[in-house]
Amino acid sequence: MEELVAAFAIDWHLLVAQMINFAIVFCVLYFFAIKPIIVVLDERQKVIKKGLDDAAMSGALLAKTEQESAAIIQSATKEAGSIVKKAQDEVSASRQAEISKTKAELEALTIKSKQDLEKEKEVVISQIKGEIGDLVAAALEKVVAGKSKEDIDK
């Protein structure tokens, strides 16, 4: 063993000092560089996950709203059909005039229902877009807040 130490000119004092220096440098780098980077990456991952979850929830809400609007349109169509049928059964003398009048009312009701549904859909979509925009802005502010100008440029 001594021959090996002598052949490679290993100085035990220097080797131990280098091990201690390495341990100190490693600890300093870990606590002041690696650990903060890991914390920032974990926070960013949470923000991104929350943004994706919010987007999925918004998509589900949009789908639900579309289903509700389809159900309302279907209900309005059924209601309109029943009104037409009832009107046709009750009318005897001036059948053609009453049918024309009922159809005009049905068209107006359907158009008004569609307009109301479109307005409600636009309001919901604009609210969802606003919330998503706010979430994205907040996420960007959190990400950019801890960065210097040089880091942002990179």
Side-chain angles (χ1 to χ4, degrees):
M1 181 77 172
E2 289 179 23
E3 294 173 5
L4 185 62
V5 171
F8 287 110
I10 296 175
D11 184 9
W12 290 103
H13 299 290
L14 185 60
L15 184 63
V16 170
Q18 287 177 350
M19 283 184 191
I20 292 172
N21 285 338
F22 177 77
I24 291 171
V25 169
F26 179 77
C27 289
V28 167
L29 283 176
Y30 179 76
F31 286 111
F32 293 110
I34 295 172
K35 195 171 183 181
I37 289 173
I38 290 172
V39 169
V40 168
L41 289 176
D42 287 342
E43 288 175 4
R44 183 174 180 192
Q45 183 180 14
K46 288 177 186 176
V47 168
I48 290 171
K49 185 177 185 297
K50 185 178 184 307
L52 290 174
D53 291 344
D54 289 344
M57 187 173 67
S58 298
L61 181 63
L62 180 62
K64 180 181 176 185
T65 304
E66 288 176 354
Q67 288 176 350
E68 289 175 358
S69 65
I72 290 172
I73 290 172
Q74 185 179 12
S75 172
T77 305
K78 286 181 182 180
E79 183 180 334
S82 68
I83 291 172
V84 169
K85 186 175 181 182
K86 185 177 181 181
Q88 285 177 347
D89 292 341
E90 293 177 356
V91 173
S92 62
S94 59
R95 189 173 185 176
Q96 291 298 326
E98 289 296 321
I99 289 175
S100 298
K101 181 181 175 183
T102 304
K103 285 184 180 180
E105 290 175 1
L106 288 175
E107 288 177 2
L109 179 63
T110 304
I111 290 171
K112 185 177 184 302
S113 297
K114 286 181 181 179
Q115 290 173 348
D116 291 343
L117 289 173
E118 284 296 321
K119 287 178 183 177
E120 182 180 336
K121 182 179 176 182
E122 289 174 7
V123 167
V124 169
I125 288 174
S126 68
Q127 288 174 350
I128 290 171
K129 286 181 180 178
E131 289 175 9
I132 289 174
D134 291 343
L135 290 173
V136 169
L140 284 174
E141 286 178 5
K142 286 182 181 179
V143 169
V144 172
K147 304 280 184 176
S148 68
K149 183 171 175 86
E150 295 174 358
D151 291 338
I152 293 171
D153 290 341
K154 286 182 184 179

